[in-house]
Amino acid sequence: MVESAVLGVFCAELMVCVFTGVPIVAALVAGLALFIGYGLWRGCRLRELACMCARGVASARGVLESFVLIGALTALWRACGTVSEVVVLAAPLVRPAVAPLAIFCMCSLMSFLIGTSFGTAATMGVSIALAALVCAAARRMSAGQIASVCVLGFTPADPTVAELMSGGGVVSMVNVSLVVCLSSSFSGLFDGTGLLDGVRGLVEGLVRRVSPYAAVLAVSVPASMVACNQTLGIMLTSQLCGHAEARARDLAIDIEDAAVVVAPLVPWSIACGAVVSMCGAPAACWCAAFYLWLIPIWRLTTEAAGTRFGFDGGEGAHSAEAAENSSRAHA
């Protein structure tokens, strides 16, 4: 009962912040205090709770490192002219008749160039080194200027150009990094205090009533809304749905088709908010994320068809596998 009340209060805080325009960091700070208070009520010491938070933040270390590299890279690409060159080369391709297709293809190529939606550390580290060399050789920037751009971002001298090209830098990623740190600390607290133990029981009951994927999807939606970032949303879904599938491979596919694509559909999640803020898109653009909506709809539709028409999917596949294992055991 207490656990449900704690989670309910935190969800209410998130909703209030979203609809009133209060920075999401405020709700996360309040949530951290709430979860620590729950841990103290359970008898945990403050030092133990701090260690739980530290373990949660450590699990998102790779994401935080990527944020630092992204901030430096986006600033240096502006400073060395890479972004300007991409705009010059791409502008002739974006004609009204093929604008949606051209934009989609260019975004796909950029994702391929960077490696992931946020970028991997190895790719960023090489794209940063080259950009710094171009800044020094072509733009005649000193080492101090390059370092300043990496940290504070790039601002062109021409005010007209500055409106389009300013930005980047490590400081531009401070807010999203705070969100990741705070929300990741929740993972450690949830695991250490047992706050989600009761929810796991509900999930197990849900798995018995619907297909495993439907259960994983049902869990991933509130998990992504509470987590505020893709990494923690995946972690929470994995913690709660660890026994939904008989094989780890099947669970991984379910989470890929649920938590991974649901997180960018949450407007206040870093997976959506960070990308939207970096490209200056309207906040409601997630409604048009057709591919993200299509995957869960397709999975649910095919599983429903498999259950109705007797295709090899959903619970039928697990039943067949169980029967096969049973026959082998008797043999």
Side-chain angles (χ1 to χ4, degrees):
M1 185 65 181
V2 176
E3 291 77 7
S4 299
V6 170
L7 292 173
V9 169
F10 177 62
C11 291
E13 290 176 353
L14 283 176
M15 295 297 104
V16 169
C17 288
V18 169
F19 290 111
T20 59
V22 176
I24 198 68
V25 172
L28 295 180
V29 170
L32 181 62
L34 181 67
F35 297 141
I36 289 177
Y38 170 79
L40 294 173
W41 178 79
R42 287 289 303 267
C44 299
R45 296 180 181 179
L46 194 59
R47 184 174 181 179
E48 294 174 335
L49 295 172
C51 291
M52 295 176 193
C53 293
R55 286 196 296 269
V57 174
S59 66
R61 179 181 174 182
V63 177
L64 296 173
E65 291 174 348
S66 293
F67 282 164
V68 173
L69 294 172
I70 289 169
L73 180 64
T74 53
L76 287 175
W77 273 7
R78 287 175 168 89
C80 72
T82 299
V83 174
S84 302
E85 183 68 14
V86 170
V87 172
V88 170
L89 295 175
L93 303 176
V94 185
R95 299 190 299 273
V98 293
L101 177 61
I103 293 171
F104 174 80
C105 291
M106 285 187 288
C107 290
S108 299
L109 290 173
M110 186 60 68
S111 297
F112 180 79
L113 170 65
I114 293 179
T116 68
S117 58
F118 282 137
T120 57
T123 302
M124 290 297 183
V126 175
S127 296
I128 290 177
L130 293 177
L133 289 175
V134 173
C135 285
R139 301 292 182 178
R140 303 292 187 228
M141 295 175 63
S142 66
Q145 290 174 319
I146 294 175
S148 177
V149 166
C150 287
V151 176
L152 302 178
F154 175 67
T155 304
D158 188 335
T160 304
V161 179
E163 293 181 3
L164 299 174
M165 301 301 297
S166 295
V170 176
V171 295
S172 68
M173 308 303 293
V174 169
N175 186 65
V176 294
S177 297
L178 284 174
V179 172
V180 169
C181 286
L182 288 168
S183 57
S184 296
S185 67
F186 296 168
S187 177
L189 289 172
F190 292 162
D191 191 45
T193 62
L195 180 61
L196 300 180
D197 289 348
V199 180
R200 289 191 182 95
L202 296 176
V203 172
E204 292 176 359
L206 182 62
V207 171
R208 290 192 292 268
R209 292 192 295 272
V210 299
S211 68
Y213 173 73
V216 172
L217 180 61
V219 171
S220 68
V221 173
S224 298
M225 295 174 68
V226 170
C228 301
N229 74 83
Q230 194 176 48
T231 302
L232 181 56
I234 294 171
M235 292 166 60
L236 290 179
T237 304
S238 178
Q239 289 177 356
L240 293 173
C241 302
H243 300 291
E245 294 278 12
R247 297 183 298 179
R249 183 184 66 179
D250 295 334
L251 178 62
I253 294 174
D254 288 347
I255 293 177
E256 163 66 27
D257 292 345
V260 174
V261 297
V262 165
L265 295 176
V266 179
W268 57 87
S269 173
I270 293 301
C272 178
V275 177
V276 168
S277 62
M278 281 190 287
C279 65
C285 67
W286 59 272
C287 297
F290 175 76
Y291 185 70
L292 300 180
W293 291 101
L294 180 62
I295 292 177
I297 292 173
W298 175 258
R299 283 293 306 270
L300 291 174
T301 302
T302 54
E303 287 195 357
T307 301
R308 180 178 178 182
F309 299 112
F311 298 155
D312 187 18
E315 294 180 354
H318 292 284
S319 299
E321 182 179 358
E324 181 181 354
N325 292 338
S326 177
S327 63
R328 288 178 179 176
H330 286 296

